[in-house]
């Protein structure tokens, strides 16, 4: 059956009339902060203590908007006859948010959990050159990162924790067996003396 001429127009006008009769809901943004979803992507926060300057985030970034500078520092040997160790020290960590496309690849590839999404979104600048934020600003945004969601109580225990618990149980059982043998060995001479 062919459609009735003008039915599309009638449907569109019905939607318009329905919308016109509803009360509009306008959030007064500066006075009322929006309720953001828990996993919203605002800016990237840096947990500097976890950063090992592996440069993986900068290499994997498709926009090349992460700038990292570092130097090597030599640590003295901890034991006599040991060798000196070298480690990377972070000098500069900056993200140019005028280039960033918020893909999250840098956060996903970081093997040491040094980068996190923060729901902070009020970082607009009047000059585009000021959108390159250095590590002190990224560290401030780290305080706005929400806590991870709670684990599902019905979920399986992680394999690492299960393995650690088994090892701890084995060690506790071995210690209890050693303590029982020691108490039996101490009690045996006393029983002999009492029997004589």
């Amino acid at each position: 059956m062919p459609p009735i001429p003008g039915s599309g127009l009638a449907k569109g006008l019905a939607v318009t009339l329905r919308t016109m009769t509803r009360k509009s809901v306008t959030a007064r943004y500066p006075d009322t902060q929006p309720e953001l979803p828990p996993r919203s992507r605002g800016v990237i926060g840096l947990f500097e203590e976890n950063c090992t300057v592996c440069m993986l985030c900068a290499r994997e970034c498709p926009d090349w908007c992460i700038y990292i500078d570092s130097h090597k520092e030599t640590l003295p040997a901890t034991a006599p006859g040991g060798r000196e160790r070298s480690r990377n020290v972070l000098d500069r960590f900056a993200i140019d948010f005028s280039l960033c496309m918020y893909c999250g690849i840098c956060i996903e590839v970081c093997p040491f959990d040094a980068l996190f999404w923060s729901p902070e979104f009020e970082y607009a600048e009047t000059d585009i050159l000021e959108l390159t934020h250095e590590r002190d600003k990224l560290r401030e945004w780290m305080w706005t990162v929400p806590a991870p969601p709670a684990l599902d109580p019905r979920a399986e225990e992680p394999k690492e924790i299960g393995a650690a618990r088994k090892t701890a149980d084995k060690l506790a059982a071995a210690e209890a067996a050693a303590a029982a043998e020691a108490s039996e060995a101490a009690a045996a001479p006393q029983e002999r003396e009492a029997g004589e």
Side-chain angles (χ1 to χ4, degrees):
M1 177 175 203
I4 300 171
S7 63
L9 179 64
K11 287 180 184 177
L13 287 173
V15 170
T16 303
L17 288 173
R18 239 180 314 172
T19 308
M20 283 177 50
T21 58
R22 291 185 190 152
K23 182 181 177 185
S24 64
V25 179
T26 304
R28 306 282 182 203
Y29 163 61
D31 300 328
T32 307
Q33 292 292 323
E35 292 183 19
L36 298 172
R39 296 182 59 178
S40 60
R41 294 184 176 191
V43 292
I44 298 170
L46 171 69
F47 189 52
E48 194 175 334
E49 289 76 15
N50 284 358
C51 184
T52 60
V53 197
C54 66
M55 304 278 195
L56 198 56
C57 55
R59 279 185 277 153
E60 295 294 327
C61 179
D63 291 333
W64 295 77
C65 65
I66 299 176
Y67 310 111
I68 301 175
D69 291 332
S70 66
H71 70 275
K72 287 206 180 268
E73 188 176 87
T74 304
L75 300 173
T78 56
R83 66 182 181 105
E84 296 178 336
R85 304 275 179 175
S86 65
R87 69 178 182 121
N88 291 329
V89 178
L90 185 66
D91 293 331
R92 179 181 186 222
F93 193 104
I95 299 177
D96 188 354
F97 285 103
S98 65
L99 295 176
C100 182
M101 64 181 185
Y102 303 92
C103 63
I105 292 175
C106 58
I107 295 171
E108 294 295 323
V109 300
C110 181
F112 301 104
D113 289 334
L115 297 173
F116 294 91
W117 279 117
S118 167
E120 186 71 32
F121 62 92
E122 296 174 326
Y123 58 95
E125 300 289 344
T126 56
D127 186 10
I128 196 169
L129 298 175
E130 295 176 3
L131 280 173
T132 302
H133 294 289
E134 298 292 331
R135 69 180 183 178
D136 56 341
K137 187 67 175 174
L138 300 176
R139 191 180 317 119
E140 286 178 28
W141 283 330
M142 189 63 207
W143 294 108
T144 63
V145 172
L151 296 176
D152 185 5
R154 296 168 298 189
E156 290 183 15
E157 184 179 53
K159 294 177 184 174
E160 296 85 4
I161 295 176
R165 182 171 284 120
K166 286 180 184 177
T167 304
D169 291 343
K170 287 180 184 176
L171 288 174
E175 288 176 3
E181 288 178 12
S183 64
E184 288 177 8
Q190 292 175 355
E191 290 175 3
R192 284 187 212 149
E193 290 176 5
E196 293 176 358

